[in-house]
């Protein structure tokens, strides 16, 4: 677990609190929960570490964070710390949840934005284990990842969650489109049904996620695909 995440201790008086009854959704069992007043987190997956690469010889000053757009300048310390503290990957009893925070301009007087200040914007996603997007969970880490991370930077190893068809040549699309060829860039075609996680160890993460999915489907008596 990241050094920025700490376990929160609960008061002793909460340990004797009676647990609520299970929450059952008959029409979609995967949304059921062991306890009706919360979702149980089974385990966490260590996130990948953000690395700017060897070209970044300095950090942008807090007074002028826009300098980080230059290859030789890394992000300011307060932004790096905020990104690291906000990232998490939770394997819950019935789903996978993660936060892949983004950087945005802070609020200010220039059309509602600040000219020289950045802040963290949360970007939380949840996929339930019965979602067809879990058709393929695999290690998609680039070749020579450690070397490339040292040279040009990186975010750790990559896990891809997606649903392909037609011999793996197309992604199934969301409601706005029917399919997207796999070689189309995700930035131009965000309607493809795929997700990317950056983790510390992709092989371990894939096995953990698939195992948790299979356990959940077996526990809730949902046929495996």
């Amino acid at each position: 677990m990241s050094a920025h995440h700490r376990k929160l201790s609960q008061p002793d008086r909460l340990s004797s609190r009676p647990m609520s009854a299970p929450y059952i959704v008959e029409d979609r069992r995967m949304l059921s929960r062991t306890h009706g007043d919360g979702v149980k987190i089974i385990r966490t997956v260590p996130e990948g570490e953000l690395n700017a690469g060897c070209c970044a010889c300095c950090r942008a000053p807090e007074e002028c964070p826009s300098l980080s757009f230059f290859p030789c300048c890394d992000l300011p310390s307060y932004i790096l710390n905020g990104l690291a503290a906000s990232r998490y990957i939770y394997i819950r009893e019935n789903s996978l949840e993660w936060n892949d925070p983004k950087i945005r301009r802070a609020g200010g007087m220039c059309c509602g934005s600040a000219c020289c200040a950045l802040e963290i914007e949360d970007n939380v996603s949840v996929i339930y284990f019965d979602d067809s997007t879990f058709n393929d969970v695999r290690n998609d880490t680039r070749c020579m990842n450690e070397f490339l991370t040292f040279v040009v930077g990186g975010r750790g190893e990559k896990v891809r969650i997606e649903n392909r068809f037609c011999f793996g040549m197309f992604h199934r699309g969301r409601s706005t489109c029917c399919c997207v060829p796999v070689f189309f860039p995700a930035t131009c075609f965000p309607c493809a049904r795929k997700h990317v996680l950056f983790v510390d160890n992709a092989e371990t993460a894939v096995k953990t996620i698939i195992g948790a999915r299979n356990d959940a489907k077996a526990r809730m008596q949902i046929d495996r695909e």
Side-chain angles (χ1 to χ4, degrees):
M1 183 177 294
S2 172
H4 295 273
H5 297 156
R6 298 185 305 235
K7 291 185 178 179
L8 300 180
S9 58
Q10 296 181 341
D12 294 338
R13 60 184 178 85
L14 294 181
S15 61
S16 60
R17 185 185 65 181
M19 304 303 292
S20 62
Y23 176 79
I24 307 299
V25 181
E26 291 293 345
D27 293 331
R28 189 178 175 189
R29 295 182 183 177
M30 191 56 72
L31 270 66
S32 302
R33 303 191 295 269
T34 305
H35 304 291
D37 59 355
V39 179
K40 183 179 180 180
I41 296 176
I42 304 298
R43 63 192 313 174
T44 62
V45 176
E47 316 88 25
E49 182 178 353
L50 183 63
N51 192 317
C54 63
C55 294
C57 57
C58 62
R59 290 186 178 178
E62 295 185 4
E63 296 78 12
C64 190
S66 298
L67 290 176
S68 60
F69 291 106
F70 290 96
C72 61
C73 288
D74 199 357
L75 291 164
S77 298
Y78 77 96
I79 291 294
L80 290 174
N81 294 336
L83 288 172
S86 301
R87 285 196 303 266
Y88 66 82
I89 303 174
Y90 292 157
I91 296 180
R92 312 192 305 185
E93 59 183 316
N94 56 8
S95 56
L96 180 68
E97 175 187 339
W98 70 94
N99 188 17
D100 185 20
K102 309 298 182 183
I103 303 174
R104 68 183 179 191
R105 291 197 176 276
M109 300 302 295
C110 181
C111 297
S113 299
C115 297
C116 298
L118 302 176
E119 65 182 9
I120 305 301
E121 178 181 4
D122 289 319
N123 180 30
V124 179
S125 301
V126 176
I127 309 179
Y128 286 89
F129 288 136
D130 62 347
D131 194 303
S132 60
T133 308
F134 273 103
N135 178 266
D136 184 16
V137 182
R138 59 189 174 87
N139 179 1
D140 195 35
T141 305
R142 60 187 176 181
C143 296
M144 303 174 60
N145 181 58
E146 293 186 3
F147 173 75
L148 292 175
T149 298
F150 173 76
V151 176
V152 298
R155 300 179 58 188
E157 298 185 2
K158 181 190 292 187
V159 172
R160 187 179 293 275
I161 303 174
E162 59 189 2
N163 192 340
R164 295 186 180 187
F165 69 102
C166 191
F167 304 102
M169 296 299 296
F170 292 89
H171 291 294
R172 286 184 168 83
R174 306 180 192 273
S175 58
T176 55
C177 59
C178 57
C179 63
V180 178
V182 295
F183 51 84
F184 281 15
T187 53
C188 299
F189 296 88
C191 55
R193 287 168 52 187
K194 61 180 180 180
H195 303 277
V196 172
L197 305 176
F198 289 97
V199 300
D200 181 63
N201 188 306
E203 288 294 337
T204 301
V206 168
K207 293 179 181 178
T208 303
I209 293 171
I210 293 177
R213 174 182 182 261
N214 293 339
D215 289 344
K217 297 185 76 172
R219 184 175 64 254
M220 299 182 187
Q221 300 179 358
I222 301 175
D223 293 335
R224 299 184 183 181
E225 298 180 353

